Amino acid sequence: MDAPSRLPEPDALTLLRSGEIELEGRLVDASNTTLRAFVSLDGVTARCVYKPISGERPLWDFPDGTLAGREVSAYLVSAATGWDLVPPTLLRDEGPLGPGMCQLWIDEPEGAQPLVGFVPARQLPAGWKRIASAQDEDGNPYSLAHADDPRLARLAVLDVVINNADRKGGHVLVGPDDRVYGVDHGVTFNVEPKLRTVLWGWTGAGLPDEAVDVLGRLTRDLKGALGDALRTHLTGHEVGRLRGRVRRLLENASFPEPGTDWPSVPWPPM
């Protein structure tokens, strides 16, 4: 079975689009129907995540049947940044349970150290950023924290751009190629501010120079082919708000502050 790091992106997309899907099992902790599967084509087999549109749970603040398209849109924006933070993702017209999102599965290496998590309050790893305080069942103090890692900073910028309402720590993966991936982007691109994330460690800090360059490129791309591709999955209003978020990030040149009208950290955070 081919690992994601060994599959060039065009080949991965071809495999996801045209390969035969064999269901392996359901991820029972997911709120929507989320299935792990094997996808095979021309002697190449890889694992993938398959989320049929028919299994999407209705939400009061997102139109029914749009979550799969939002996952694909997050991938398109990620690919346009050049950071490739979202695994190859597309919308399949056919699948075992009908049309749905199909994304390459990322296997974290055994023993890989997480970059986000709860740590004893007095044992915060050097260089980690504290996000929130907590206690265990025995009253011992813990901190929700994340590493001060430029790969995470890129993901934090992406989350602002796509207005990610659910960046849990468990949605941050370190792949076998030592790259950081973000997954589970169904509740993104809302027209209302809904950013909820565990990656608040850079609040108020200036954006890295590379982020400024990337946002400038996104501004141009959103006026052309990227904007056209996104309108396949999002409304014109949603794409317009996306352009506005990119513009404001560039104007402020800093990571935003948490909002006051919406919980700033998802629950559960991990």
Side-chain angles (χ1 to χ4, degrees), residues 80-187:
T81 66
W83 289 334
D84 296 325
L85 296 165
V86 179
T89 309
L90 51 74
L91 191 64
R92 278 185 65 120
D93 295 330
E94 297 180 357
L97 297 178
M101 186 279 290
C102 199
Q103 181 178 84
L104 203 65
W105 177 271
I106 300 298
D107 275 313
E108 293 191 285
E110 186 176 350
Q113 296 299 310
L115 299 176
V116 184
F118 284 103
V119 296
R122 298 181 182 86
Q123 299 176 27
L124 190 70
W128 276 46
K129 295 179 175 292
R130 193 188 315 271
I131 305 303
S133 298
Q135 290 183 339
D136 66 10
E137 294 178 352
D138 298 322
N140 298 311
Y142 276 75
S143 294
L144 175 63
H146 65 72
D148 186 4
D149 189 305
R151 298 171 297 175
L152 284 185
R154 290 175 172 180
L155 192 57
V157 172
L158 178 68
D159 283 342
V160 177
V161 169
I162 67 176
N163 196 18
N164 191 353
D166 195 32
R167 174 61 71 207
K168 293 182 171 70
H171 299 166
V172 179
L173 307 177
V174 180
D177 47 8
D178 204 36
R179 282 173 47 189
V180 166
Y181 294 92
V183 297
D184 208 348
H185 298 106
V187 286

